[in-house]
Amino acid sequence: MDDWLIYRGVGAPAPDRMRLLPPPPPWRAFSGVPLPDVAPPVDSASTRRLGARVGAPPAQDAQALQLINAALYLRRPLLVTGEPGSGKSTLAHSIAYELGLGRVLQWPIVSRTELRDGLYTYDAIGRLQDAQLAEREARAPESIGSYVKLGPLGTALLPSELPRVLLIDELDKSDIDLPNDLLNVVEEGEFTLPELERTADRPGHEEVAVLTDDGRRVPVRGGRVRCHAFPFVVMTSNGERDFPAPLLRRCIHLHLDPPRDERLAAMVQAHFGAGADERNLDLIGRFSREDGDGELRPTEQLLNAIYLTHHAARAEPGRREEIAELLIRPLETRQR
């Protein structure tokens, strides 16, 4: 194992390795003042996704590990491409879990997604209604921060000592403008909230507490969020469209093939314990073969089959193959 690797994909927490990460390159250093306790503890989501167990073999090959660590060192987004089921989004959870970087901030992309959806939302109508109600009741209105919520991208850019992990999932489903709109934020590591900027020079409004995607309240000063440690951004794509060259130049590109051999054994052992891959060699062998259309099956089919046959076959020992066949089969792609 190369000594310079911070993330090693072993499926076991090793947060102390983040101390070995050197300072960023001068052109990727950011000036945000760290806030206290920005990164929350890891919740159960990553553990549930990974089924992480100490002692599992590496979940990525050597080249993939080098590219992931290059993105860590250079503070650049990691653009992960590959077929559905190849483990693209799971990679973000693996990095956050192993390096102790808190809950993964998830931003799922659809065709209507805009940049502001990831940065923040402002409930102007709610603020107006509450202001009218406060006037009738002769009380002071709520602070403007009560109507602002940072999105996953906005939360990831909060200044913290350690980077947050942000998953921008299925970026290729976006409108044509979103990849270009991301360029400035990715390059500068900051953004403004105009609603807070307009009032920042008023007494008592220099610093406003807003809600984060984590459900916490943090102060924003001067209507601007500026990161300290650039977040580890994982952008996934199923290859449904090409991205503009300026975005590609700012990313480290990693292509993941569907898991096979050691990666597949690592997944099976992580979810079912040591030796589970050897006990299920027959199912793994059938899973590894291409289906009738030359496509490889999603990994979840194998995990489902192993789990189901483990429980159902104990009651009906002779029906293991039949039960497995219910799940490990070519996906139906045509309407009948």
Side-chain angles (χ1 to χ4, degrees), residues 220-242:
V220 172
R221 188 168 187 83
R224 181 178 294 270
V225 172
R226 180 183 292 114
C227 75
H228 173 75
F230 190 77
F232 190 85
V233 181
V234 178
M235 304 177 180
T236 72
S237 169
N238 292 327
E240 294 186 9
R241 54 166 294 189
D242 295 328

Side-chain angles (χ1 to χ4, degrees), residues 272 279-280 283 304-315 320 323:
F272 299 105
R279 293 192 299 271
N280 293 280
L283 299 185
N304 288 340
I306 292 175
Y307 179 84
L308 187 61
T309 56
H310 172 72
H311 290 281
R314 286 191 301 180
R320 175 182 167 87
I323 293 169

Side-chain angles (χ1 to χ4, degrees), residues 271-295:
H271 286 280
F272 299 105
D277 55 328
E278 297 179 1
R279 293 192 299 271
N280 293 280
L281 283 177
D282 57 335
L283 299 185
I284 293 174
R286 293 175 59 189
F287 172 83
S288 299
R289 293 193 296 270
E290 296 180 347
D291 66 25
D293 295 325
E295 298 292 333

Side-chain angles (χ1 to χ4, degrees), residues 93-176:
H93 291 271
S94 176
I95 294 166
Y97 175 79
E98 183 171 320
L99 299 182
L101 298 179
R103 182 179 72 86
V104 175
L105 298 162
Q106 301 187 64
W107 186 17
I109 304 299
V110 297
S111 60
R112 301 178 301 279
T113 302
E114 299 179 351
L115 177 62
R116 179 163 161 169
D117 298 328
L119 293 175
Y120 76 99
T121 57
Y122 171 59
D123 186 3
I125 295 177
R127 187 186 181 199
L128 176 61
Q129 292 173 338
D130 287 352
Q132 293 171 340
L133 182 60
E135 184 177 1
R136 289 198 299 269
E137 296 178 351
R139 59 177 173 82
E142 295 286 337
S143 165
I144 186 174
S146 300
Y147 308 96
V148 175
K149 181 179 180 181
L150 299 181
L153 175 57
T155 301
L157 290 172
L158 286 170
S160 59
E161 289 289 350
L162 294 176
R164 295 296 303 272
V165 176
L166 170 67
L167 172 62
I168 304 179
D169 208 12
E170 299 190 337
L171 183 60
D172 53 327
K173 294 187 182 303
S174 72
D175 178 84
I176 192 172

Side-chain angles (χ1 to χ4, degrees), residues 50-58 261-280 284 302-303 306:
L50 300 171
R53 291 176 185 269
V54 176
D261 303 324
E262 288 189 2
R263 282 184 62 205
L264 195 57
M267 289 184 178
V268 172
Q269 289 188 53
H271 286 280
F272 299 105
D277 55 328
E278 297 179 1
R279 293 192 299 271
N280 293 280
I284 293 174
L302 173 63
L303 299 180
I306 292 175

